Each structure stands twice: as structure tokens, then as C-alpha cells.
DNA sequence: GAACAACACCCG
DNA sequence: GGGTGTTGTTCG
């Protein structure tokens, strides 16, 4: 086996294939499938993944030798390599992008270009160019404007360019000092030291006191002695100096109280039985764990995982990014201790890398993390759990556009283990599959403490308006807020800002400030006092008079959290409000701090957007107010009703989870809409049936699969004509059963001066579709990429914009 | 994606 | 001729 097949780090269609490389003699037997290697590629050296080993190549020319391995052990096992290939075909992405998506960001290659001086003769000009050294980085040369001069020297044979592949990953190391001396020897040494060597003496006294075999640099430094005296002792042979890898521990400052399994209710016992059976019999099966909020889903997860661990297997738990609050992590850490690795975007690149390495080295058995944690490199998986299964954050919007649920099921089939999809409001796709017995449905209908679900009142804001109430708080919400403030109970106010955020409009002529590069209105940001485009980042001043008609009746509309906060202070000056949105939670850890502040009772009202809808479980919350339930309802998205229902149900579930019972007030302009009405009744079943009718009529999932093709280009005509051509071509290659919508302009027809057209394909079974789309990409990518034509294909899209 | 060869163009 | 900018090809 002296030839390696390699997928190289060039995300392009022409390079999305295996390249053969000779393995140099000294690496034979060391280089394995799944390792990262540095390979020469054209004139450069780049990173690649070894996908296989073989003895002969069909490549007709002479093979190049690969340069060196970048790992000691493979970073991708056979399963993950196969998964990557499948993912690439399934989502129409490049293999290299899929491999990279499976690994922590720290493993992405960093490339470095340097000039090396070859001619060492006395040459003042060369000395000057290289600043007296033997090499200079490309970056430095560029800054100093000496690139042309260096190129000239390369031609003369006085210098050359070397390419380096560096791993972004840096293991955190620390110095440790070991001593082989016993007490007597040390005392002898202390006595032989000169009088003034107090620092060395102090260290040795510490050593005698501690009697440890090894000391960290930090420990020795704490004796108050400088680094130089430690080095002096190393020289004298007291210590041997070593480096060892340490893990960055994001939870180092935290104490986790060990928790024991809780006794299960009768209902929970019924539900967990088939899961445990599947774990025992090592079969693949997908379960839908459908349970209302507070019904004890997490305990089911924990005890299922316990069984998996008892069998010596491993577990993956996916949670939506937003709910990776300490609360969730706490529950897993306190049950499974150091067996848990946590992977989420709040960690630094290095921290993520360390958590990943814990898994790779089998030091962790349970991974709790967001979407990408589904790729955790376990080899003996016993269960995959996806909590809040309906969350759209499980779909990655960038390449590769995969859905964690699909990956989970793929991996579970490979490992013969169960997948649990947990939700109080399952996605229609999942629930429909459970109804069809594709998934095994398990239901938890009762809340654990037998608390009743909170009472929900739906307020028609049109009526409030008619009765002369122009405030954003209905009379009912107002009086309930007053009541809670008096009783010192807590309230959550939820503002569904997605849909329309605050924009400027002239009351006289109706002018709305638009982004000059995108067909979207600018959003007003109070904290910076700017008008900002959410798509291209364009920033403009805030007009004081209307640019169209010069009227000074230009005002901002839509309700931002800041505006609600101001209003709250006006009505309830004594209320202590915590505001949570992108502005107040930007900094790392801010999220947790605000929640802690609220939890400890230092605030009366928690005001926020989406991010407060999930996972919060505070005993003193007795009122939940939704300020405008229907802003999302009018988005051009067939899932708008589903999302509205889910969100309203989720927020309502925040109230009265403990001793105190709760109330929910939902304010809306469309109380008659079924998603609002059924959310008010907390009636998932009726919502499901109504929504399924709508989906059937519209030929949407779960009745049809979708694939969305979006074409964008600076020139409108080019965009339209290309979309037309592609649509026609696709139509000619697939059956009449499929429905093709388009070409039509995208919901946002222009972003960053690029026009956007799209074509939506609805289908049930089209084996030719993916090959056809691949051909489309091949055809156009080659032909048009230089003109700036962009084609994006999203299989099972969640964002229709 | 990036390097480079091939090509076109311009210089006055 | 030579410098400069653009385009197309290729990478094992």
C-alpha cells in the first residue's frame, strides 16, 4: 500500500475528486486512511484528507509524493469518511467542505508562504531584502513592497518560495517539573547552596513540604521565586523539565453537584421501556418523544444514556444552540460528570478543539452540543438524542446545507442504535412520519408535577385599538402586569420581532427608507442611532426630515425591544426590567449573566426576543405576555403557521412550571388564525390536522419534498434568462409528477446589488433530480463563475428567502 | 482556490 | 521589446 488517495483542500467542482499520491518509504505503514496530510498541488503545498490506500494508480503520469502526515492518528474514521461522501452527494456540496464540517474549526489548514534565501554570499542587496535573516514571510514582503524585487531574485536563483501547511490547532501545553531526589538529598542540597540563594531554597522547601512527584510551573511560581531560579535548579539536576498537554476547561470555575436518577412516573416508565429495549437489542429505530413542556423528557434522555454507558457505548445529545444555557449543561454534567464533552459556538476555537479531542481519545462518552456535534467521532454509538427536534437551527444554512436529523438517522443506522427526537411541538414532517409508523411515537401527556397547563387568554388588538387603547399593552396585560409587580412575582414579555423590525416611514407620503444595494427596508438601531441593512451591512444616518417630501413627520415604526423597555418604564417606573436581545447579549457570557440576574429575583420583568422562548425554567414566573403573536405569520414561508404555533406554545410553557400557577396573555391582530387559536388551547393535534390540510392543498412537505434553486447576478436580464434555462433543463429531465414553481424573483429580489431569482421544485420521488442538479452546477459553474453568476441549491430548504 | 501560461494590448 | 492586464487551464 504505497499510494494514498487524497481529497484536497480546494472547494471547487474541478477538484472535488480523489488525487493519487505516492507515500514516501518512511511514511509507509504510518499514513492511514482518515489522516490529514500535506500534499504538493501544482506549485503549492496544501492540506488533504486520505480517503484510501492502494497499490496502483490509473493515473497515467508520474505520481507526486505526499509531503507529510499532519496527524498522528486518523481524524476521520471509516464511518465518517463514508458519511462525508454521502453528505456531499445528498446536499450537492464538495467532499472537502463536508469533511471540514465534521471537524472542529481548529483543524482547518492555515497556509503560509515564505521566501527563503538560497544565496548566502556576501550581498548587501540580499541582506537588505531579507533584513539580515534567511527568510521573510510573504505577508511581510507584501507590506514592505518588495514582492517584485524578491521575484527577481527567484529568477536569479538567489531565493525560492516555500509553502507551509500549518494546523490552526494548538494544543495548550504547560511546563511541569519532575524531581527524582528524595528528602535527604534535597536537604543536603539546600545546605550546600550559597547564603544568598533564597529563592532556590524557598522552592526546595516547598518541594519538601509537598512531597509530589511533579510540579507545574504555576505552582512553583507561587512560592514567589522567579523563573530563573527554577531554571537554576533544572541545571543542577533537581528537576527535569517536561511539557504536557492540558485541556482548556470551559467549566473549570463551576461546581457540579452529582445528581442521581430520579424515580420515573408511570407514564415515563412506559415511554422509556421501548427505548431501553432497542438499546439492548442493538437495533436502529427512530423514536418521536412527544411530550408537553415540563413532562420530564430530559430525565428520559438521562436514563437512556445511563443504559448506553452501562453497556460501554457512547451517546450524542443535540440541543438547539440557543438553549445551550447552563441549565441544560448542568443537568448532563451533574449526572455524568467528566464523561460529558460540550460543543457549542460559545466556546473558543481552542476550547472546541479540546472538547473534540476528549471525544477522540475516548475520554468523554457523552457529547452535548449544537448541530455539528452530530459528527462527534464516536466509534461505538449507542444513542443519538435530538432535543427540541422541530428547531430550524438543526439545518445548516451554509454549505454543506445538511440537516442534523438526517445525519443522526444515517449514523444510527450504521451503529444499529436508536434516535430519539424530542419535542412538545414536533415538526409536521416528523409527526407525519410517526403517524405513518415510520417513527415510533412515544407520548408524555402529563406534566411531571401534575400542574395544569397555564391559562391562556388571546387578546384581539384591533378591539383594543377600537376602544381607544393605542399602547402596545392591552388592558388585560396591563392589569396583570400591575398585579404581578404588586405580588412580587415575575413576568416574561416576549416580543416576536422577526418579520418586521423597526423601520422609518414618513407619515405624510409613506416613504420608507430602503437599502440602496438590497431590496429591503433599513432597520432602525437606537443604540448606535443608525439605519442599518441586515443583509449587506449598509449603514446610513437617521433622517430628521423625509428625503422624499421634506416633511418632518418621519417616524420609526415596528416595535423593538428598546421601545418596549422605554414604554414599560413610563407605565411602571418602579419595575425592574431585564432586556435580552442581540444588543444586550453580544458579549460572551452576557446571556448567562442576564438570566442569573433575573433568576436571583433582582428583576421583575424579562423582556426579549426568540432567545427567551426556550429552556427557561424559573419557579417564580407566573405571567407570560406575547406582545404581537402574528408578526411572523405573514412571512413568505409555508412554515410560517407552524413556526408561529411552535413559538407561542413554547413561550406559554414558560409560565407556572412549579408551585405557583401561571397565566399567558397573547396579543394578536389575527385571533381567528388557527395557529394562534390552537396555540391558545395548547392543542397540537388540532393544529397538526389543520396544517396538514393546508400543506396538502399547497403541495408542501410532508406531502412533497422541496429543492430550492437560487440564481443571482449583477445583471437582472442575465439572472432571469439563466434561471429560465435552468428551470427548463430541470423540467426536461424529471417526471411530470414533479411541480416546478418559477422562475420567480426571490422574496428579497436584490441583495448587495445582485438580483436574485429562484425556482422551487416540489417532488415525491425523482431519482434523476440530484444528478441533474449536479450537471447544472458543472455546466454553469465552469461557464459563468467568472462573470459572478452564483447558483445555490438547497435540498429541503428551511429559509425560503 | 491559486499559480501560471497564453494571449491581447499598449507604449510614442 | 517589454511591461501590464485578462483569460483559461490545471492541479496526481
Amino acid at each position: 500500500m504505497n499510494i494514498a488517495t487524497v481529497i484536497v483542500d480546494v472547494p471547487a467542482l474541478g477538484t472535488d475528486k480523489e488525487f493519487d499520491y505516492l507515500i514516501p518509504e518512511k511514511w509507509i505503514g504510518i499514513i492511514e486512511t482518515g489522516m490529514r496530510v500535506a500534499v504538493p498541488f501544482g506549485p503549492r503545498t496544501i492540506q488533504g484528507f486520505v480517503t484510501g490506500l492502494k497499490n496502483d494508480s490509473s493515473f497515467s503520469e508520474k505520481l507526486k509524493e505526499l509531503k507529510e502526515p499532519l496527524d498522528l492518528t486518523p481524524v476521520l474514521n471509516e464511518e465518517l469518511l463514508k458519511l462525508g461522501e454521502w453528505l456531499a452527494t445528498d446536499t450537492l456540496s464538495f467532499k472537502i467542505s463536508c469533511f471540514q464540517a465534521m471537524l472542529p474549526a481548529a483543524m482547518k489548514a492555515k497556509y503560509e508562504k515564505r521566501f527563503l534565501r538560497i544565496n548566502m554570499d556576501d550581498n548587501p542587496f540580499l541582506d537588505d531584502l531579507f533584513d539580515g535573516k534567511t527568510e521573510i514571510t510573504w505577508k511581510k514582503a507584501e507590506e514592505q513592497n518588495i514582492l517584485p524585487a524578491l521575484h527577481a531574485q527567484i529568477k536569479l536563483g538567489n531565493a525560492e518560495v516555500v509553502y507551509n501547511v500549518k494546523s490552526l490547532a494548538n494544543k495548550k501545553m504547560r511546563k511541569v517539573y519532575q524531581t527524582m531526589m528524595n528528602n535527604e538529598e534535597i536537604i543536603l542540597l539546600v545546605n550546600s547552596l550559597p547564603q544568598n540563594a533564597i529563592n532556590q531554597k524557598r522552592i526546595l522547601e516547598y518541594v519538601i513540604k509537598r512531597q509530589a512527584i511533579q510540579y507545574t510551573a504555576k505552582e512553583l511560581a507561587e512560592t514567589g521565586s522567579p523563573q530563573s531560579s527554577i531554571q537554576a535548579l533544572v541545571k543542577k539536576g533537581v528537576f527535569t523539565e517536561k511539557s504536557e498537554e492540558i485541556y482548556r476547561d470551559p467549566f473549570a470555575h463551576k461546581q457540579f453537584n452529582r445528581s442521581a436518577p430520579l424515580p420515573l412516573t408511570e407514564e415515563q416508565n412506559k415511554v422509556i421501556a421501548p427505548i431501553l429495549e432497542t438499546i439492548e437489542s442493538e437495533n436502529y429505530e427512530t423514536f418521536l418523544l412527544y411530550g408537553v413542556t415540563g413532562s420530564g423528557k430530559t430525565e428520559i434522555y438521562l436514563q437512556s444514556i445511563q443504559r448506553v454507558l452501562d453497556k460501554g457505548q457512547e451517546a450524542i445529545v443535540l440541543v438547539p444552540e440557543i438553549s445551550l444555557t447552563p441549565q441544560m449543561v448542568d443537568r448532563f454534567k451533574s449526572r455524568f460528570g467528566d464523561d460529558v464533552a460540550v460543543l457549542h459556538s460559545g466556546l473558543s476555537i481552542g476550547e472546541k478543539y479540546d472538547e473534540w479531542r476528549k471525544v477522540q481519545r475516548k475520554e468523554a462518552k457523552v457529547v452535548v452540543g449544537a448541530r455539528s456535534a452530530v459528527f462527534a467521532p464516536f466509534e461505538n454509538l449507542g444513542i443519538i438524542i435530538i432535543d427540541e427536534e422541530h428547531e430550524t437551527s438543526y439545518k445548516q444554512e451554509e454549505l454543506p446545507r445538511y440537516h442534523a436529523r438526517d445525519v443522526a438517522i444515517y449514523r444510527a443506522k450504521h451503529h444499529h442504535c436508536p434516535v430519539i427526537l424530542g419535542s412538545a411541538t414536533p415538526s409536521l414532517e416528523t409527526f407525519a412520519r410517526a403517524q405513518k409508523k415510520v417513527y415510533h411515537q412515544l407520548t408524555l401527556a402529563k406534566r411531571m408535577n401534575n400542574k395544569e397547563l397555564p391559562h391562556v387568554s388571546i387578546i384581539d388588538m384591533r378591539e383594543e385599538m377600537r376602544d381607544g387603547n393605542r399602547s402596545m399593552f392591552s388592558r388585560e396585560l396591563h392589569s396583570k402586569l400591575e398585579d404581578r409587580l404588586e405580588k412580587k412575582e415575575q413576568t416574561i414579555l416576549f416580543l416576536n420581532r422577526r418579520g418586521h423590525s423597526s423601520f422609518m416611514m414618513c407619515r405624510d407620503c409613506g416613504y420608507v427608507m430602503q437599502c440602496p444595494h438590497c431590496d429591503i427596508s433599513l432597520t432602525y438601531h437606537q443604540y448606535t442611532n443608525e439605519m442599518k441593512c441586515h443583509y449587506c451591512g449598509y449603514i446610513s444616518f437617521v433622517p430628521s426630515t423625509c428625503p422624499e417630501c421634506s416633511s418632518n413627520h418621519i417616524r420609526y415604526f415596528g416595535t423593538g425591544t428598546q421601545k418596549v423597555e422605554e414604554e414599560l418604564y413610563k407605565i411602571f417606573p418602579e419595575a425592574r426590567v431585564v432586556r435580552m436581545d442581540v444588543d444586550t447579549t453580544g458579549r460572551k457570557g452576557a446571556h448567562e449573566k442576564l438570566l442569573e440576574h433575573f433568576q436571583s429575583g433582582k428583576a421583575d420583568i424579562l423582556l426579549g426576543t426568540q432567545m427567551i422562548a426556550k429552556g427557561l425554567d424559573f419557579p417564580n414566573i407566573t405571567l407570560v405576555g406575547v406582545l404581537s403573536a402574528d408578526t411572523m405569520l405573514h412571512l413568505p414561508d409555508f412554515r410560517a403557521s407552524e413556526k408561529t404555533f411552535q413559538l407561542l406554545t413554547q413561550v406559554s410553557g414558560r409560565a407556572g412550571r412549579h408551585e405557583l400557577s401561571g397565566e399567558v396573555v397573547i396579543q394578536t391582530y389575527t385571533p381567528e388564525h388557527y395557529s394562534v387559536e390552537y396555540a391558545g388551547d395548547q392543542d397540537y393535534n388540532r393544529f397538526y390536522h389543520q396544517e396538514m390540510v393546508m400543506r396538502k392543498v399547497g403541495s408542501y412537505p410532508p406531502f412533497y419534498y422541496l429543492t430550492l434553486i437560487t440564481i443571482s447576478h449583477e445583471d437582472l436580464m442575465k439572472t432571469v434568462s439563466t434561471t429560465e434555462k435552468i428551470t427548463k433543463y430541470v423540467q426536461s429531465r424529471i417526471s411530470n409528477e414533479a411541480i416546478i414553481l418559477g422562475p420567480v424573483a426571490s422574496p428579497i429580489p436584490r441583495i448587495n446589488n445582485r438580483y436574485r431569482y429562484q425556482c422551487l421544485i416540489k417532488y415525491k420521488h425523482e431519482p434523476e433530480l440530484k444528478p441533474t442538479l449536479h450537471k447544472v452546477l458543472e455546466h454553469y459553474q465552469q461557464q459563468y463563475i467568472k462573470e459572478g453568476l452564483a447558483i445555490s441549491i438547497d435540498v429541503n430548504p428551511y429559509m425560503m428567502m
Side-chain angles (χ1 to χ4, degrees):
Chain A
M1 300 294 218
N2 62 338
I3 293 170
T5 54
V6 175
I7 297 289
V8 293
D9 183 19
V10 180
L13 260 158
T15 49
D16 190 31
K17 58 173 182 183
E18 288 173 337
F19 286 83
D20 293 347
Y21 285 91
L22 276 175
I23 304 175
E25 198 69 39
K26 60 177 170 179
W27 298 123
I28 289 180
I30 291 169
I31 293 207
E32 289 175 57
T33 303
M35 276 183 183
R36 294 175 305 154
V37 286
V39 292
F41 196 67
R44 301 177 286 161
T45 304
I46 59 170
Q47 193 189 74
F49 289 87
V50 177
T51 53
L53 301 173
K54 55 186 183 179
N55 277 319
D56 35 25
S57 168
S58 56
F59 189 60
S60 52
E61 283 159 66
K62 197 165 171 268
L63 294 182
K64 283 191 183 174
E65 282 194 338
L66 59 79
K67 217 173 136 203
E68 58 182 353
L70 295 173
D71 297 300
L72 293 170
T73 53
V75 291
L76 294 172
N77 58 34
E78 293 283 348
E79 183 217 346
L80 291 175
L81 281 170
K82 231 179 83 198
L83 172 64
E85 306 233 338
W86 168 76
L87 207 57
T89 28
D90 198 62
T91 64
L92 293 147
S93 339
F94 308 120
K95 292 185 187 77
I96 189 69
S97 316
C98 294
F99 291 151
Q100 266 159 5
M102 301 196 284
L103 295 170
M107 296 219 143
K108 231 187 137 181
K110 212 169 87 182
Y111 298 108
E112 192 189 57
K113 254 196 306 191
R114 283 176 303 155
F115 293 96
L116 211 65
R117 179 172 171 180
I118 320 175
N119 187 334
M120 294 301 169
D121 300 348
D122 238 0
N123 183 333
F125 183 66
L126 277 178
D127 287 347
D128 195 40
L129 266 186
F130 283 94
D131 200 19
K133 299 186 187 84
T134 54
E135 56 175 59
I136 180 168
T137 63
W138 183 285
K139 221 178 127 199
K140 242 188 172 169
E142 202 171 22
E143 281 163 19
Q144 294 174 17
N145 266 329
I146 52 172
L147 281 180
L150 283 165
H151 277 294
Q153 291 304 316
I154 290 170
K155 279 209 176 125
L156 289 170
N158 291 334
E160 67 175 348
V161 187
V162 285
Y163 298 87
N164 247 344
V165 183
K166 270 180 140 183
S167 200
L168 260 179
N170 34 9
K171 288 171 196 158
K172 199 170 178 180
M173 307 298 272
R174 71 170 167 200
K175 284 208 171 113
V176 291
Y177 299 91
Q178 296 180 327
T179 177
M180 288 297 154
M181 287 181 159
N182 58 31
N183 267 356
E184 284 127 55
E185 287 171 305
I186 296 175
I187 293 167
L188 221 72
L189 182 73
V190 171
N191 293 333
S192 72
L193 283 173
Q195 279 286 301
N196 56 356
I198 24 171
N199 281 321
Q200 292 184 41
K201 282 184 184 165
R202 204 159 39 211
I203 293 172
L204 291 171
E205 275 158 25
Y206 175 76
V207 171
I208 293 170
K209 206 173 86 199
R210 279 284 309 278
Q211 290 292 320
I213 316 163
Q214 90 178 26
Y215 305 86
T216 65
K218 203 177 153 205
E219 283 169 343
L220 295 183
E222 271 164 11
T223 62
S225 309
Q227 177 69 26
S228 58
S229 29
I230 302 176
Q231 284 310 318
L233 290 172
V234 172
K235 263 200 197 129
K236 292 199 175 83
V238 179
F239 293 123
T240 47
E241 195 180 24
K242 272 192 184 152
S243 283
E244 69 171 17
E245 182 185 352
I246 54 163
Y247 292 133
R248 283 155 271 229
D249 186 357
F251 302 98
H253 57 286
K254 278 200 83 159
Q255 284 286 316
F256 295 99
N257 298 320
R258 205 66 189 203
S259 80
L262 305 172
L264 297 182
T265 64
E266 199 183 317
E267 203 182 29
Q268 282 177 315
N269 267 317
K270 249 192 185 154
V271 155
I272 203 170
I275 299 173
L276 297 181
E277 240 168 70
T278 317
I279 293 171
E280 286 304 331
S281 62
E282 307 206 355
N283 281 320
Y284 156 74
E285 173 136 46
T286 298
F287 294 95
L288 163 61
L289 179 55
Y290 167 52
V292 294
T293 42
S295 60
K297 289 192 289 286
T298 312
E299 192 57 34
I300 301 275
Y301 301 156
L302 291 168
Q303 297 197 16
S304 305
I305 292 170
Q306 188 61 59
R307 181 67 62 94
V308 165
L309 295 183
D310 291 345
K311 282 190 71 205
Q313 294 182 302
E314 297 118 5
I316 295 177
V317 184
L318 300 186
V319 285
E321 188 65 66
I322 220 114
S323 80
L324 264 170
T325 48
Q327 284 191 1
M328 196 69 179
V329 175
D330 276 10
R331 291 197 68 176
F332 281 87
K333 280 252 176 189
S334 52
R335 187 69 59 86
F336 304 116
D338 287 338
D339 279 346
V340 180
V342 178
L343 287 166
H344 68 92
S345 65
L347 303 179
S348 72
I349 288 182
E351 284 170 339
K352 262 191 246 173
Y353 174 64
D354 285 356
E355 294 290 302
W356 184 89
R357 294 208 1 111
K358 275 191 211 161
V359 177
Q360 200 207 13
R361 295 170 132 199
K362 310 206 182 320
E363 287 165 24
K365 303 269 179 224
V366 181
V367 163
V368 180
R371 182 177 57 228
S372 64
V374 77
F375 297 115
F378 285 131
E379 284 173 341
N380 199 6
L381 254 181
I383 196 168
I384 304 178
I385 293 166
I386 305 187
D387 190 32
E388 307 289 348
E389 166 280 333
H390 58 276
E391 274 297 311
T392 50
S393 66
Y394 287 125
K395 171 72 190 284
Q396 174 149 303
E397 291 300 338
E398 308 88 55
L399 284 171
R401 294 181 226 276
Y402 68 92
H403 197 296
R405 194 200 300 134
D406 302 333
V407 177
I409 289 173
Y410 181 98
R411 292 198 75 184
K413 280 181 180 161
H414 177 273
H415 287 277
H416 309 289
C417 75
V419 174
I420 303 182
L421 308 174
S423 178
T425 52
S427 65
L428 276 247
E429 285 94 327
T430 297
F431 202 76
R433 271 179 208 151
Q435 298 291 299
K436 280 174 73 183
K437 310 266 186 231
V438 179
Y439 299 160
H440 184 153
Q441 184 175 331
L442 305 166
T443 309
L444 288 171
K446 288 192 208 117
R447 278 186 147 186
M448 285 243 285
N449 44 13
N450 277 322
K451 268 270 150 205
E452 276 181 33
L453 286 166
H455 174 262
V456 180
S457 32
I458 294 175
I459 311 292
D460 187 345
M461 290 305 275
R462 294 170 304 190
E463 231 162 77
E464 293 288 317
M465 201 77 127
R466 248 174 265 139
D467 294 350
N469 179 9
R470 297 189 153 266
S471 122
M472 56 181 85
F473 303 103
S474 59
R475 287 159 296 183
E476 185 167 340
L477 183 57
H478 186 277
S479 75
K480 287 200 167 134
L481 266 169
E482 217 163 24
D483 172 66
R484 299 307 130 116
L485 285 172
E486 227 165 72
K487 285 201 237 155
K488 298 257 172 273
E489 291 171 7
Q490 289 179 306
T491 301
I492 291 186
L493 282 183
F494 179 76
L495 182 66
N496 189 356
R497 214 173 46 166
R498 211 139 127 219
H500 63 81
S501 25
S502 20
F503 58 99
M504 293 292 271
M505 188 168 92
C506 172
R507 290 201 154 187
D508 287 342
C509 70
Y511 168 84
V512 175
M513 236 182 144
Q514 300 266 121
C515 174
H517 311 297
C518 312
D519 289 332
I520 200 97
S521 45
L522 295 176
T523 306
Y524 175 63
H525 284 244
Q526 190 181 46
Y527 63 107
T528 48
N529 198 35
E530 282 167 342
M531 302 297 298
K532 208 169 169 185
C533 171
H534 279 189
Y535 288 87
C536 73
Y538 172 85
I539 292 171
S540 165
F541 64 95
V542 181
S544 50
T545 57
C546 174
E548 254 336 73
C549 69
S550 312
S551 149
N552 52 13
H553 289 137
I554 187 158
R555 302 284 291 283
Y556 64 86
F557 284 76
T559 319
T561 38
Q562 295 119 332
K563 208 176 152 195
V564 180
E565 193 181 14
E566 278 169 32
E567 187 105 1
L568 271 172
Y569 277 126
K570 260 185 240 157
I571 317 173
F572 307 110
E574 75 283 7
R576 296 163 302 167
V577 181
V578 171
R579 176 163 66 90
M580 263 180 79
D581 54 29
V582 264
D583 304 337
T584 60
T585 55
R587 272 175 302 107
K588 199 179 160 182
H591 193 253
E592 288 85 63
K593 269 215 188 102
L594 289 175
L595 285 181
E596 238 166 71
H597 186 81
F598 183 67
Q599 185 172 23
S600 61
K602 286 183 196 137
D604 310 299
I605 298 171
L606 177 64
L607 164 67
T609 52
Q610 325 285 82
M611 56 178 73
I612 61 169
K614 277 138 220 147
L616 299 184
D617 188 3
F618 301 146
N620 205 26
I621 299 172
T622 58
L623 176 63
V624 169
V626 180
L627 291 173
S628 48
D630 36 22
T631 48
M632 208 156 64
L633 219 45
H634 311 297
L635 288 176
D637 182 342
F638 70 93
R639 274 185 253 260
S641 308
E642 184 182 344
K643 284 185 188 155
T644 303
F645 177 85
Q646 283 163 351
L647 207 60
L648 293 180
T649 313
Q650 297 280 340
V651 252
S652 304
R654 299 304 120 218
R657 291 172 66 112
H658 297 264
E659 274 80 60
L660 302 165
S661 54
E663 274 185 299
V664 178
V665 176
I666 296 177
Q667 302 187 160
T668 173
Y669 289 89
T670 46
E672 68 281 0
H673 193 283
Y674 62 92
S675 62
V676 177
E677 192 193 328
Y678 295 150
D681 300 341
Q682 312 252 334
D683 191 341
Y684 179 83
N685 257 309
R686 283 177 69 198
F687 171 76
Y688 169 75
H689 287 291
Q690 175 74 49
E691 182 65 9
M692 282 297 269
V693 172
M694 308 304 282
R695 299 288 179 92
K696 178 140 204 177
V697 170
S699 307
Y700 278 110
F703 297 95
Y704 281 81
Y705 291 109
L706 300 181
T707 290
L708 180 71
I709 310 176
T710 308
I711 283 92
S712 74
H713 192 269
E714 284 179 359
D715 179 47
L716 177 62
M717 288 317 292
K718 182 95 204 163
T719 313
V720 178
S721 67
T722 310
T723 314
E724 254 164 25
K725 271 187 224 155
I726 291 175
T727 308
K728 277 205 184 107
Y729 177 70
V730 171
Q731 191 141 39
S732 74
R733 302 287 304 251
I734 59 176
S735 79
N736 294 332
E737 312 262 296
I739 304 167
I740 298 190
L741 298 184
V744 287
S746 292
I748 303 164
R750 191 178 50 134
I751 293 181
N752 232 337
N753 283 325
R754 299 171 60 85
Y755 290 91
R756 296 151 45 82
Y757 262 68
Q758 65 180 35
C759 156
L760 184 68
I761 308 155
K762 300 175 176 180
Y763 58 100
K764 287 187 191 245
H765 181 67
E766 297 294 340
E768 272 307 299
L769 181 60
K770 284 212 176 110
T772 303
L773 292 176
H774 201 266
K775 285 216 179 78
V776 169
L777 283 179
E778 249 168 45
H779 182 75
Y780 285 96
Q781 217 105 341
Q782 277 177 357
Q783 201 171 332
Y784 286 120
I785 201 101
K786 270 141 215 152
E787 286 179 41
L789 183 103
I791 302 172
S792 109
I793 297 179
D794 194 346
V795 182
N796 303 324
Y798 277 74
M799 290 251 297
M800 309 297 283
M801 311 288 236

